[in-house]
Amino acid sequence: MEHSVTSARDVAYAYLRSGLVEGRLRPGEILDDATIAQEISVSRTPVREALIQLEREGMVTAMPRRRPKVAEAEPDDLALIIAPLGALHTLAAQLGTPYATDDDVAAMRRHNSDLLRAIEDGAIDRARLADMAFHRVLVSRTGNRFLASSIDSLEMHTSRVVSLYFRNRGPDGQSAREHAEIIQAVLDHDAGAAAAATRSNYLRGLSLAGEENG
């Protein structure tokens, strides 16, 4: 398999990120660039570049003259992450609602239906993905790449902690009902109501995270 320098770095980043987010790479595990490069058929340089990027994002730690390793993660990190993530999504709802289209509303309804089906099927991972996709509709509508990047980074950490410690916990029927309130606010072009409903949705998630760690 051959890759250009840029795409090889992207391949390495995607490979490592998925391992970190899904919990296959465990906290404290040494990340050997030569081994990783061999596993995905790229040179060591793009792997090192991907590791540097993941270090910037807080997923990898690297001490001078030591090989990088997977950053530590604790169950109570979830509550710490949800607080700023909810604030950013609340801002995204406030900024994105005035520009939401009929297609956006249809997409939000579709993701919420996917969430309900996943809950009925007991498919927790699917439910989490549908929940994230629902909120990302308004994030995309803001057109703010800095906001989107910040949310993406926090969601990566959220997914990792959940994969490591909370595999049996995901969105529930109440989440879907709260999403319906957000959809109605978007239909009403009421940015304040959309933001308030989004904030309530994440605050409930924050309280649940606190209960699990209490």
Side-chain angles (χ1 to χ4, degrees):
M1 184 190 310
E2 295 184 357
H3 306 284
S4 68
V5 173
T6 300
S7 65
R9 181 185 59 206
D10 292 342
V11 167
Y13 177 84
Y15 176 77
L16 288 165
R17 174 172 167 150
S18 67
L20 292 163
V21 167
E22 294 168 13
R24 289 183 282 105
L25 296 173
R26 308 292 295 182
E29 184 175 340
I30 297 296
L31 298 168
D32 180 69
D33 57 6
T35 300
I36 295 166
Q38 185 175 24
E39 289 174 350
I40 58 177
S41 302
V42 301
S43 68
R44 295 171 70 176
T45 297
V47 174
R48 290 170 180 164
E49 291 173 348
L51 288 168
I52 290 171
Q53 178 63 34
L54 288 163
E55 183 184 4
R56 292 194 194 105
E57 295 172 352
M59 301 289 279
V60 169
T61 59
M63 300 294 289
R65 295 181 295 280
R66 293 187 180 180
R67 287 183 294 176
K69 63 181 182 179
V70 179
E72 297 296 331
E74 301 295 337
D76 57 6
D77 287 349
L78 185 60
L80 299 176
I81 297 167
I82 288 177
L85 179 60
L88 290 174
H89 270 297
T90 297
L91 177 60
Q94 178 81 42
L95 297 177
T97 294
Y99 304 101
T101 65
D102 291 344
D103 287 343
D104 292 328
V105 171
M108 294 172 77
R109 284 175 168 157
R110 184 171 64 252
H111 295 313
N112 210 30
S113 294
D114 291 342
L115 170 60
L116 284 170
R117 281 194 294 272
I119 292 168
E120 291 170 359
D121 295 342
I124 296 171
D125 288 339
R126 267 175 46 210
R128 291 196 193 104
L129 290 173
D131 182 73
M132 285 193 293
F134 174 88
H135 289 287
R136 283 177 180 169
V137 174
L138 290 179
V139 175
S140 297
R141 186 49 61 193
T142 69
N144 188 323
R145 68 182 186 279
F146 300 106
L147 179 59
S149 176
S150 297
I151 287 173
D152 184 61
S153 178
L154 286 172
E155 285 184 340
M156 175 171 61
H157 286 281
T158 300
S159 297
R160 180 184 178 218
V161 175
V162 167
S163 293
L164 290 171
Y165 300 108
F166 302 108
R167 286 188 176 275
N168 296 322
R169 186 60 188 260
D172 54 18
Q174 181 60 26
S175 295
R177 288 187 287 274
E178 290 165 353
H179 289 177
E181 293 178 10
I182 297 170
I183 291 171
Q184 186 58 54
V186 173
L187 280 169
D188 294 340
H189 303 289
D190 189 336
T198 299
R199 182 173 182 274
S200 295
N201 184 230
Y202 274 90
L203 282 177
R204 192 173 65 85
L206 181 59
S207 68
L208 292 174
E211 289 173 7
E212 291 191 352
N213 295 320

